[in-house]
Amino acid sequence: MLAFYRRQVTDREAPGIERIGLRALLVGTSARTFWQLFGLMSGLWFMTNLVVVALPAGLGRAGFDPTQVALIAGVAAVGQAAVMACTGHLSTLTGRRRFFAGWGVLAALAAPPIWLALNATGSLLSALLAATALQAVTVCGYGPVGAYLAEGFPAGIRSTGYGAAYSLSILLPALHPFYLPQVQDAVGRRTAVVVLLVLAGVLVAWCGSRRTPATTLQPAEPLVPKEVVGAA
């Protein structure tokens, strides 16, 4: 893929749009937007790690054999994909900020009891339904993420902002195997996960509902300024 892009794809410079550096993203003019979207993505990554990445291990502890674990994970992934295909369009109808506010609240309220039910059941059918529902009410919030991250930054820093907010936010959630066991020892295995799921939902609702400087401007900046298009 790297070879293809280097040989076949050429970046098009947009006349009249000033390029902004990484420092402006982290501590400068775009810092507010970056940290807000960083918080949103952190919440989504916490959900992903707790309900998708950790799913096989949790099912194994609940007594399901490897074949059953694979079946449950596969069915949940298909269900998640079906719901996620709809959430992007739903956010267009409701508005991105309203969508994330509602989805974060839904995740904070619904994910903990579904997760507890999943970890308490010994029935294959119940586990199939619970795992699918759990992923549907949490990680399907990714549906409009690509559009929302792009819409949050001005054109001069859009690609950098998108990549940094999406990628840097994964670090703390991905390291949960190192600190979650200590937290579980202190407050209980299930309590720790429930608290993290609620925190993740709150992050999505709070950070996703805030108005970013770029989203206050409608429409978003075009790739090529209007005067250039008119001159052509």
Side-chain angles (χ1 to χ4, degrees), residues 5 8-19 155-159 221-226 228-229 232:
Y5 271 92
Q8 304 294 334
V9 179
T10 301
D11 289 335
R12 182 171 62 169
E13 294 293 332
I17 296 180
E18 180 185 359
R19 299 299 173 186
I157 201 170
R158 186 164 294 152
S159 295
E221 304 92 326
L223 180 62
V224 179
K226 291 180 179 179
V228 175
V229 175

Side-chain angles (χ1 to χ4, degrees), residues 5 10 81-82 91 111 116 124 148 152-153 223 225:
Y5 271 92
T10 301
S91 75
L116 290 171
L124 178 60
Y148 190 67
F153 293 99
L223 180 62

Side-chain angles (χ1 to χ4, degrees), residues 52-113:
V52 178
V53 178
L55 178 64
L59 292 172
R61 287 192 298 268
F64 294 99
D65 63 47
T67 300
Q68 292 174 322
V69 169
L71 176 63
I72 295 169
V75 170
V78 172
Q80 174 202 135
V83 176
M84 195 180 299
C86 302
T87 54
H89 181 62
L90 176 62
S91 75
T92 301
L93 299 177
T94 63
R96 313 278 190 233
R97 294 186 297 120
R98 187 174 299 168
F99 169 85
F100 281 117
W103 202 269
V105 171
L106 172 66
L109 295 177

Side-chain angles (χ1 to χ4, degrees), residues 102-199:
W103 202 269
V105 171
L106 172 66
L109 295 177
I114 298 175
W115 184 87
L116 290 171
L118 175 61
N119 282 265
T121 187
S123 164
L124 178 60
L125 178 59
S126 297
L128 286 168
L129 295 174
T132 303
L134 180 61
Q135 294 191 20
V137 301
T138 54
V139 295
C140 287
Y142 278 98
V145 155
Y148 190 67
L149 291 181
E151 293 163 354
F153 293 99
I157 201 170
R158 186 164 294 152
S159 295
T160 302
Y162 184 116
Y166 189 92
S167 300
L168 294 180
S169 57
I170 196 177
L171 295 177
L172 182 60
L175 292 174
H176 78 276
F178 294 98
Y179 56 80
L180 184 58
Q182 283 70 34
V183 178
Q184 291 175 318
D185 289 341
V187 302
R189 185 178 71 84
R190 296 187 176 186
T191 301
V193 176
V194 166
V195 169
L196 278 179
L197 286 173
V198 172
L199 174 62

